[in-house]
Amino acid sequence: MTIDFSAPHQRLRFNTPLSEARAQQLLAFVAQRATGTVVDVGCGWAGLLLRLIELKPTLRGLGIDLSAEAIAHAKTLVAASSAGAQIDLLCGDVKANLPAEVQGAICIGASQIWGSPVEERQPLAYAAALAALRERVKPGAPVLYGEAIWSRPPTAAAVAPLSGRLDEFVSLPDLVDLAWQQGFALVQAHEANQDEWDEFESGHQAKYADWLAEHGVDHPDAAQVLSRAQGQRAAYFRGYRGILGMAYLCLVAV
Ligand SMILES: C[S@@+](CC[C@H](N)C(=O)[O-])C[C@H]1O[C@@H](n2cnc3c(N)ncnc32)[C@H](O)[C@@H]1O
């Protein structure tokens, strides 16, 4: 049975734990170094790409995402922006649609594009993602790469609601090494703080609150909604909170 929840863009700024202030810092790095076209792979509803082009309207933006719902919302945001004419949005698989060359790239929480399907529960494909991005840019081009990491050594309770593996993610020092190994130099390293995580996770969990407030706890589907809400809050608050982290690396191709 499918239950209709409110779309994530109604509750979240970005589909990643990221404050507006940190987003502006990261985008200033890309804007300062990029010319030409910047691609955002797995752009979601293109919140970052839109801010980037508003910051530097001489750039062109290309956002690609598999989710028709996210791209539809991105199109409404882009249409309402003065920078909208500078942005192309494409609903499809990045692997089939990524141009051979771009002058900058954003890849946030989207390394799985170059890995095995999530259901296979393999370690995240950081190296493959970094290599694919590096292949598309010339030396000097900026790449903003954001990905999940272990902020602290994972516990059994933390990994259980994720892939169940201790090696699904790497630590920040290991991720930085991987970026250098794949042909990038690090300019800035950021890690999402607890407030950014709590805001992000609460934003995802608020879909249950929205649904229950609209339909009531006597609705025939309410038991299922309550059970899913319980599972998700246990996964975070009793599981990976403070252990699963998110790194944002400002990289330059070398
Ligand atoms: C964690 S979300 C991040 C969204 C966005 N980068 C942001 O920061 O708001 C990952 C996104 O990657 C997209 N995605 C996953 N696999 C993809 C693929 N093969 N091609 C295009 N998009 C993909 C998902 O639809 C999702 O929107």
Side-chain angles (χ1 to χ4, degrees):
M1 176 190 4
T2 310
I3 299 179
D4 272 339
F5 292 109
S6 55
H9 63 74
Q10 292 172 5
R11 293 168 268 108
L12 293 166
R13 185 184 304 113
F14 308 110
N15 202 357
T16 186
L18 179 62
S19 66
E20 189 66 54
R22 194 188 307 281
Q24 290 300 332
Q25 261 184 290
L26 300 174
L27 294 175
F29 158 79
V30 180
Q32 194 185 14
R33 293 179 185 252
T35 54
T37 297
V38 175
V39 68
D40 187 340
V41 297
C43 65
W45 51 91
L48 278 170
L49 191 62
L50 189 56
R51 282 166 176 76
L52 173 68
I53 306 303
E54 285 173 350
L55 197 60
K56 187 168 179 180
T58 54
L59 293 175
R60 275 208 77 78
L62 169 62
I64 310 173
D65 203 287
L66 269 184
S67 161
E69 184 185 53
I71 290 292
H73 185 55
K75 285 185 174 168
T76 64
L77 296 177
V78 162
S81 164
S82 57
Q86 294 296 104
I87 299 177
D88 296 307
L89 295 165
L90 207 152
C91 183
D93 193 324
V94 164
K95 274 177 140 168
N97 291 288
L98 191 55
E101 193 183 331
V102 287
Q103 288 70 51
I106 300 173
C107 176
I108 306 287
S111 301
Q112 75 270 21
I113 291 168
W114 292 278
S116 29
V118 177
E119 313 78 65
E120 291 184 13
R121 298 175 171 242
Q122 293 301 303
L124 191 57
Y126 302 100
L130 286 160
L133 295 167
R134 181 63 189 83
E135 266 176 37
R136 263 70 181 191
V137 293
K138 291 214 160 89
V143 171
L144 170 56
Y145 180 70
E147 202 43 270
I149 53 167
W150 294 130
S151 290
R152 298 214 312 265
T155 59
V159 301
L162 302 169
S163 71
R165 307 177 66 114
L166 298 174
D167 62 354
E168 181 174 7
F169 305 113
V170 299
S171 66
L172 181 59
D174 287 345
L175 181 60
V176 170
D177 284 350
L178 277 172
W180 280 93
Q181 286 157 15
Q182 295 301 328
F184 291 104
L186 177 74
V187 179
Q188 291 176 38
H190 294 245
E191 187 172 349
N193 63 30
Q194 200 60 72
D195 285 348
E196 287 168 298
W197 267 104
D198 286 346
E199 186 187 26
F200 173 64
E201 288 285 338
S202 304
H204 272 296
Q205 292 182 26
K207 71 182 175 201
Y208 303 117
D210 289 348
W211 191 94
L212 290 163
E214 186 182 341
H215 298 91
V217 291
D218 296 327
H219 188 284
D221 293 338
Q224 198 194 337
V225 172
L226 287 165
S227 155
R228 285 171 65 172
Q230 195 277 332
Q232 198 165 329
R233 71 175 185 270
Y236 181 58
F237 290 110
R238 298 183 190 280
Y240 56 80
R241 183 177 186 271
I243 294 175
L244 181 62
M246 186 75 193
Y248 298 101
L249 305 184
C250 296
L251 303 169
V252 169
V254 289

